[in-house]
Amino acid sequence: MTVTELARLVDGTIAGPAGAGPQEVRGGYASDLLSDVMAHAQDGDAWITMQRHVNTVAVAQLKNLAAIVIVNGRRPEADMAARAAEHGVPVVTTPLPAFDAAGRLYAAGLRGRGAS
Amino acid sequence: MTEAEFVRAYEIVGADFTNAGRASTSIKETLKNMGLASALIRRVAIAAYEAEMNTVMYARRATMTLHVTPADVTIDVQDEGPGIPDIQLAMQEGYSTATAAMREMGFGAGMGLPNIRRNADQFAITSEVNRGTALVMTVHVG
Ligand SMILES: Nc1ncnc2c1ncn2[C@@H]1O[C@H](COP(=O)(O)OP(=O)(O)OP(=O)(O)O)[C@@H](O)[C@H]1O
Ligand SMILES: [Mg+2]
């Protein structure tokens, strides 16, 4: 699915001028621990998290993530939004908690993909 | 050594979370522009990121150097900082001395060094308390 479709499914909005994002969303991973995401997320995953600081953007870049999905109605901090826009990393904000956001995306066909 | 070697060094400043990750992302871009395989780049990116973040979190300053030859990619990280008193303990998954503020940001899972070991074909770490830590990790191209 596209990032625009993902945002619609979680009643979310795409934050910042990064737009819909160039990349197809091919799976998902939910975690608030950065090293856990580095270890287990896969290329093209949407990353569901409470984190909203600038260091999330490097993780998304290094792991080729399709989007960062910030849950519970939290907004990205200003420097995160700026860095994400600079590097074209889509950021979606959703009022849903992580469980519900993941559930909706799973119901729409997204899967976690065999993290070891 | 007769074969061509590409070398680039990055300076990392301790506690500078704003710029943390820039060296690793630059390394990833560099390897991508060289046309190296994406599976190799993924592994180097993970190892580089974890090493970079550890120096940002725990050291005063560090130099991270990327070496690329036709045979392998090596990243060498030398920091000035507190050092690691018990490397075996530090290597254990889940062990962390991250502060509360770092944990709130999602650091401190104690997975960084294990992530490096898992992704590197060769990995060496040496440390001297009150001086610093040195890390060398290599991923084979072939
Ligand atoms: N460069 C370093 N200088 C001093 N201590 C270090 C350094 N790198 C690691 N350590 C020590 O080793 C511990 C384990 O490191 P590791 O990267 O595995 O986990 P972490 O950094 O605590 O958490 P995570 O990487 O999951 O965010 C650290 O908490 C710290 O005590
Ligand atoms: Mg670490």
Side-chain angles (χ1 to χ4, degrees):
Chain A
M1 68 179 68
T2 64
V3 175
T4 307
E5 284 165 341
L6 178 148
R8 189 170 42 74
L9 285 165
V10 297
D11 301 332
T13 47
I14 298 172
Q23 219 185 325
E24 162 95 5
V25 184
R26 290 187 278 134
Y29 195 74
S31 179
D32 296 328
L33 298 173
L34 276 62
S35 290
D36 176 48
V37 176
M38 288 305 295
H40 297 309
Q42 306 289 315
D43 271 43
D45 274 356
W47 172 21
I48 298 174
T49 185
M50 293 268 287
Q51 299 296 349
R52 57 197 188 101
H53 56 81
V54 68
N55 297 108
T56 57
V57 178
V59 171
Q61 288 177 271
L62 289 164
K63 295 294 290 182
N64 301 321
L65 303 182
I68 302 172
V69 182
I70 306 176
V71 296
N72 282 348
R74 290 157 66 97
R75 312 281 312 166
E77 288 173 5
D79 53 355
M80 175 186 173
R83 188 74 59 84
E86 181 190 342
H87 295 288
V89 173
V91 177
V92 175
T93 60
T94 171
L96 300 177
F99 182 88
D100 301 74
R104 293 222 192 152
L105 298 177
Y106 194 96
L110 276 195
R111 294 292 180 264
R113 290 169 302 154
S116 55
Chain B
M1 182 159 207
T2 51
E3 58 192 8
E5 184 179 12
F6 174 93
V7 180
R8 182 174 290 170
Y10 300 85
E11 294 303 317
I12 299 165
V13 178
D16 180 4
F17 282 90
T18 301
N19 290 303
R22 287 199 192 272
S24 326
T25 47
S26 169
I27 286 173
K28 183 192 168 192
E29 278 310 303
T30 302
L31 299 181
K32 206 170 152 186
N33 292 337
M34 288 176 174
L36 292 173
S38 53
L40 172 134
I41 294 174
R42 273 197 287 273
R43 293 168 63 201
V44 174
I46 292 168
Y49 175 82
E50 297 292 3
E52 180 178 4
M53 289 316 305
N54 279 355
T55 63
V56 171
M57 287 198 278
Y58 307 111
R60 280 189 306 281
R61 58 160 304 281
T63 304
M64 178 149 125
T65 311
L66 168 71
H67 304 259
V68 186
T69 71
D72 42 46
V73 177
T74 297
I75 294 173
D76 174 308
V77 187
Q78 311 269 344
D79 77 42
E80 289 167 20
I84 302 177
D86 185 341
I87 289 177
Q88 222 180 318
L89 181 62
M91 290 299 305
Q92 277 177 25
E93 186 132 5
Y95 177 81
S96 177
T97 61
T99 63
M102 292 171 188
R103 288 172 197 268
E104 209 160 291
M105 293 169 75
F107 299 111
M111 292 179 68
L113 292 173
N115 278 352
I116 295 172
R117 180 166 53 191
R118 202 172 296 124
N119 284 283
D121 291 313
Q122 283 165 344
F123 170 51
I125 178 169
T126 52
S127 191
E128 199 178 328
V129 172
N130 293 327
R131 293 194 79 95
T133 300
L135 222 120
V136 184
M137 49 219 185
T138 298
V139 178
H140 301 313
V141 171

